[in-house]
Amino acid sequence: MKKREKKILAVLAALLCIGAAGTGSTLAFFTDSETFTNELHFAGEDGLDAVLEEPSWKAEKGLLVLPGEKVPKDPQITNTSELDMDCLAAIQVEFVYGKNCPDRAKTGQALSDADMAYVHDVYRIDWNADTLENWIRFDGESAGDQTQRFYYKEVLKRNLPENGDTTVPLFTCLEIPKEVNNKRYSHIQDMGGFDIRITGTVIQQMTGESIHGLDSPGDAYRSGLFTFSGE
């Protein structure tokens, strides 16, 4: 089976909290000064293709976040293969130190357990795997982990000449609950915010090949075929 890789551009969030001087309120700036390069990996014949994007993210509308507000973000994959190829999809989400980290050597590295605990305490993400379950989180991983991986439980059909299938979003927004106070978000400020790095992987489906893990998303997961950058 041939393998090929390409990189695509997608918007990622650099999250930075700052205090409102002279008040007891919380302000959080959702910055997007850079476009990060995400990786989308392919496994299959030439002609297999897909896109990883966040269509609802609007940088010009999401720069200032107040407690209780939500910032739309919706990572999703669409089958855009040149040929009539169906595919299986998975996504990896990593929480890493951003460029504003006081220790610049940590930039791009996974958050420590302590720092990830602060992020999990301050921000809420409506993970699909915890509600609708169109995405299935890998065994042994949880919403509080620095690295979380998910496979999409449905096959993404191409159905030429019609549009190919798109996954439902892995999540739809990030939110700072109303009850978050200065003390809680100050830890995020101290670490210089953080980035969310997303990597996708797409495998060509081959019906009747369950023994090789190519027949269904569950087969691919159990066979260990969903791999990401750095693995």
Side-chain angles (χ1 to χ4, degrees):
M1 180 171 60
K2 297 179 182 179
K3 290 189 176 181
R4 60 191 180 91
E5 298 180 0
K6 74 174 184 178
K7 292 185 176 181
I8 67 171
L9 294 180
V11 177
L12 288 184
L15 303 173
L16 177 62
C17 288
I18 66 172
T23 74
S25 61
T26 303
L27 294 179
F29 282 96
F30 191 96
T31 64
D32 187 38
S33 58
E34 295 184 21
T35 299
F36 295 85
T37 300
N38 287 336
E39 293 182 357
L40 184 58
H41 297 259
F42 297 87
E45 299 296 328
D46 289 339
L48 179 66
D49 208 351
V51 294
L52 169 62
E53 57 186 351
E54 296 178 313
S56 72
W57 163 239
K58 305 295 182 184
E60 68 276 10
K61 295 183 179 180
L63 295 178
L64 180 62
V65 183
L66 300 174
E69 293 186 352
K70 297 179 180 180
V71 175
K73 284 184 66 67
D74 50 353
Q76 54 195 265
I77 293 176
T78 301
N79 184 351
T80 59
S81 299
E82 300 169 10
L83 304 178
D84 198 3
M85 294 181 179
D86 300 334
C87 64
L88 318 174
I91 283 180
Q92 175 177 270
V93 178
E94 299 172 278
F95 293 82
V96 302
Y97 292 102
K99 66 176 184 178
N100 294 315
C101 179
D103 184 352
R104 296 302 175 87
K106 291 183 177 180
T107 299
Q109 296 184 15
L111 299 182
S112 68
D113 290 345
D115 286 341
M116 185 62 201
Y118 294 136
V119 169
H120 189 57
D121 177 60
V122 170
Y123 289 90
R124 296 291 179 269
I125 299 177
D126 60 340
W127 298 104
N128 178 286
D130 297 331
T131 53
L132 303 177
E133 296 186 349
N134 296 96
W135 289 94
I136 308 298
R137 185 182 276 110
F138 283 22
D139 290 342
E141 298 178 0
S142 71
D145 291 344
Q146 295 95 323
T147 299
Q148 301 174 45
R149 297 166 296 172
F150 310 80
Y151 69 86
Y152 196 63
K153 72 176 185 179
E154 305 293 341
V155 175
L156 297 183
K157 302 291 186 179
R158 185 61 182 93
N159 297 323
L160 287 174
E162 304 298 325
N163 294 330
D165 288 346
T166 300
T167 66
V168 299
L170 179 63
F171 55 89
T172 67
C173 65
L174 294 92
E175 178 184 11
I176 302 176
K178 292 180 179 180
E179 64 270 19
V180 171
N181 56 30
N182 290 355
K183 181 177 180 181
R184 289 171 64 182
Y185 77 72
S186 65
H187 298 292
I188 310 296
Q189 182 181 10
D190 290 344
M191 74 173 76
F194 61 93
D195 294 338
I196 298 176
R197 185 166 61 206
I198 299 177
T199 305
T201 183
V202 175
I203 302 172
Q204 179 187 356
Q205 185 205 27
M206 299 177 67
T207 57
E209 292 290 337
S210 59
I211 191 172
H212 299 298
L214 298 172
D215 190 65
S216 72
D219 290 335
Y221 168 64
R222 288 184 288 272
S223 299
L225 297 183
F226 289 129
T227 58
F228 303 90
S229 176
E231 292 187 337

